[in-house]
Amino acid sequence: MPSPTHPLASMIPWQISTASDSRTKMAKTSRLCSLLLRLLAAAATLCAAVVMATSRDSTTIFGLTLDAKFQYTPSFEFFVVANAVGCGYTLLVLFVPPTTSLSRLVIVFDVTVAMLLTAATAAAGAMAQVGKKGNSHAGWMPICGQVPSFCDHVTGALICAFVGVIAYFLIVLHTIYTLLSPLFP
């Protein structure tokens, strides 16, 4: 039986077990939410990396064959590597038990991966915009009219990456809430 100074001292015994059951259910729901968000992030980043890595097309202009591949643009290469790293990290975190001290470092790595994915998506998005619209001030012509399959792959990869960035944003918010909720009952 709790002592008179204990906050649960005024509760009836079945209310104490109900409160304990409620906390257990909330903990399970929180872990399930985290698992689903991480699986969504892993799937989105894997999809983004694979779709971008398979983006290639070629066209013939005035007898010259021009190829468009993701390897020809450093920002697209960064995009593929960042999404592959994000997917690998997300899958590794699934095996970290929530009760270890290592789980406290997960928030630092979550924020780092979220920033990495945001930077890669922004860089690839900027290059995609140049490919689609060109840049008249620099004299760069748009290429999407000549290599539409390449541009469609890039667009699909950017959509998947954007879903991954949103999922990581939600993961970071969920992790912060989970870490701070015991401090503010």
Side-chain angles (χ1 to χ4, degrees):
M1 186 74 170
S3 67
T5 59
H6 192 273
L8 299 177
S10 63
M11 296 180 88
I12 302 171
W14 63 79
Q15 288 177 324
I16 294 171
S17 67
T18 305
S20 167
D21 291 343
S22 175
R23 282 191 209 106
T24 304
K25 287 179 185 178
M26 287 184 62
K28 286 181 182 179
T29 304
S30 177
R31 282 190 295 245
L32 179 64
C33 180
S34 178
L35 174 71
L36 291 176
L37 282 172
R38 288 190 187 280
L39 288 176
L40 174 66
T45 54
L46 177 66
C47 180
V50 169
V51 170
M52 182 65 84
T54 59
S55 63
R56 60 182 51 97
D57 197 3
S58 62
T59 188
T60 304
I61 299 175
F62 301 119
L64 296 171
T65 301
L66 301 172
D67 292 326
K69 296 181 181 179
F70 86 96
Q71 296 100 330
Y72 296 161
T73 308
S75 63
F76 289 163
E77 289 179 333
F78 173 52
F79 179 85
V80 170
V81 171
N83 278 283
V85 166
C87 180
Y89 165 76
T90 304
L91 294 176
L92 282 175
V93 168
L94 292 176
F95 297 106
V96 175
T99 57
T100 63
S101 60
L102 184 60
S103 66
R104 295 285 185 180
L105 286 176
V106 167
I107 184 63
V108 174
F109 293 122
D110 282 349
V111 170
T112 304
V113 169
M115 289 189 304
L116 178 72
L117 291 174
T118 302
T121 303
M127 287 307 300
Q129 181 66 17
V130 169
K132 183 177 180 180
K133 301 284 185 181
N135 186 335
S136 60
H137 301 291
W140 298 336
M141 301 299 294
I143 64 162
C144 285
Q146 287 78 28
V147 285
S149 176
F150 175 76
C151 291
D152 291 343
H153 269 79
V154 170
T155 301
L158 285 171
I159 290 169
C160 291
F162 189 66
V163 170
V165 167
I166 290 172
Y168 253 96
F169 177 71
L170 293 174
I171 287 170
V172 168
L173 289 178
H174 180 266
T175 307
I176 289 171
Y177 174 76
T178 303
L179 288 177
L180 294 181
S181 64
L183 299 177
F184 304 107

